[in-house]
């Protein structure tokens, strides 16, 4: 992401409160757009029934696997859209995201842009989180 995206921080609004940036200008890149990922293991079964943190870790793992299949990595992600079923899981999500981002981005920014949405449910009631991602991969 660092080589194809320029961070945009608007000075006339509040600074980002969490690990995201106001905007990213992307040039010279191909986009890799991921479908929403759920906490599903390689066997197609739910990972972490009732355990939000376990589900969130699995979702980020699945995102990373799809990115790698498209010759990209988490560091190439420019946009996340996060869907949570239970508002009380928000703080746990931020902890998991911080762990994932510390591994991926360290102190280097810009972080991806991000939107979090609370929904009444996902494809089945057992799923507590779904995340969509868009990566910008430098053209060769």
């Amino acid at each position: 992401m660092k080589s194809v995206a320029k961070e945009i921080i608007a000075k006339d609004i509040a600074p980002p409160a969490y690990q995201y940036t106001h905007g990213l200008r992307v040039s010279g890149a191909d986009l890799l757009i991921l479908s929403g990922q759920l906490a599903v293991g390689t066997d197609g079964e739910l990972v972490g029934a009732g355990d939000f943190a376990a589900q969130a870790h699995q979702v980020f793992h699945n995102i990373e696997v799809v990115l790698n299949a498209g010759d990209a990595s988490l560091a190439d992600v420019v946009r996340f859209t996060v869907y949570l079923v239970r508002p009380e899981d928000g703080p746990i999500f931020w902890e998991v995201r911080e762990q994932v981002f510390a591994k991926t981005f360290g102190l280097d920014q810009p972080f991806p842009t991000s939107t979090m949405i609370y929904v009444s449910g996902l494809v089945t009631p057992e799923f507590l989180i779904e995340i969509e991602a868009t990566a910008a991969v430098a053209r060769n």
Side-chain angles (χ1 to χ4, degrees), residues 80-84 93 97 114-117 129-131:
F80 282 115
T81 303
V82 181
Y83 302 90
L84 299 183
F93 171 75
R97 181 178 161 128
S114 186
T115 298
M116 180 183 285
I117 303 166
I129 181 172
E130 183 170 350
I131 302 177

Side-chain angles (χ1 to χ4, degrees), residues 49-63:
D51 182 343
F52 179 83
Q55 288 195 28
H57 279 289
Q58 183 66 41
V59 168
F60 276 113
H61 170 77
N62 291 351
I63 289 169

Side-chain angles (χ1 to χ4, degrees), residues 87-102:
E88 63 268 22
D89 289 329
I92 300 167
F93 171 75
W94 292 116
E95 290 175 19
V96 171
R97 181 178 161 128
E98 186 173 317
Q99 293 168 10
V100 170
F101 279 18

